[in-house]
Amino acid sequence: ADVRDVSFSFAMSKAFDDEACCFLAESLPKQIESLHMDLSRCSALTATGFNALALAIELRGPTVEVLDLHLAGLATTCTDEVVEALANAVSKCVCMRRLNLVLSGCSQALTEDGFQK
């Protein structure tokens, strides 16, 4: 049976780092209709992990209908580069019905340019 609804929560995990994020991104099913991920306060994540996640979303874009990403509290790691990569990935989600992107507490590394993406 195909898995179409994927949900993960690693909120506040100091162990969830780039290596773990890359592994998870590569392990996602090829076709996802609904992806829910809570990576709030995963302070070990950098642009490397986020870029792997963005690429995974982009590759699955044609089937993604619901994308729910919680990146709250990533004050220094949720940068303009990260948001741009995620915005590019979301643009490939042609069947998108709902997008929920939580960026609370990310204003330290995120500029107005990043918010405009």
Side-chain angles (χ1 to χ4, degrees):
D2 290 338
V3 174
R4 300 290 178 127
D5 187 4
V6 179
S7 182
F8 293 101
S9 178
F10 295 100
M12 298 175 28
S13 172
K14 293 178 183 174
F16 192 77
D17 59 6
D18 289 340
E19 184 178 346
C21 193
C22 290
F23 176 79
L24 178 68
E26 292 170 5
S27 302
L28 288 173
K30 296 296 178 208
Q31 294 184 335
I32 296 175
E33 292 175 0
S34 181
L35 177 61
H36 307 269
M37 293 188 78
D38 188 350
L39 302 177
S40 300
R41 297 190 181 179
C42 288
S43 57
L45 277 176
T46 70
T48 301
F50 286 118
N51 285 337
L53 179 59
L55 179 60
I57 294 168
E58 184 175 329
L59 293 173
R60 288 149 182 85
T63 61
V64 175
E65 295 179 12
V66 176
L67 183 60
D68 185 16
L69 290 176
H70 292 251
L71 306 177
L74 298 173
T76 59
T77 57
C78 189
T79 63
D80 290 348
E81 175 189 350
V82 166
V83 172
E84 184 172 1
L86 290 171
N88 288 337
V90 166
S91 73
K92 304 294 191 258
C93 299
V94 294
C95 296
M96 180 81 64
R97 291 183 296 115
R98 189 179 79 207
L99 171 65
N100 183 30
L101 180 60
V102 178
L103 299 172
S104 306
C106 294
S107 60
Q108 188 173 344
L110 202 52
T111 69
E112 185 177 332
D113 188 47
F115 280 113
Q116 289 178 357
K117 298 288 181 196

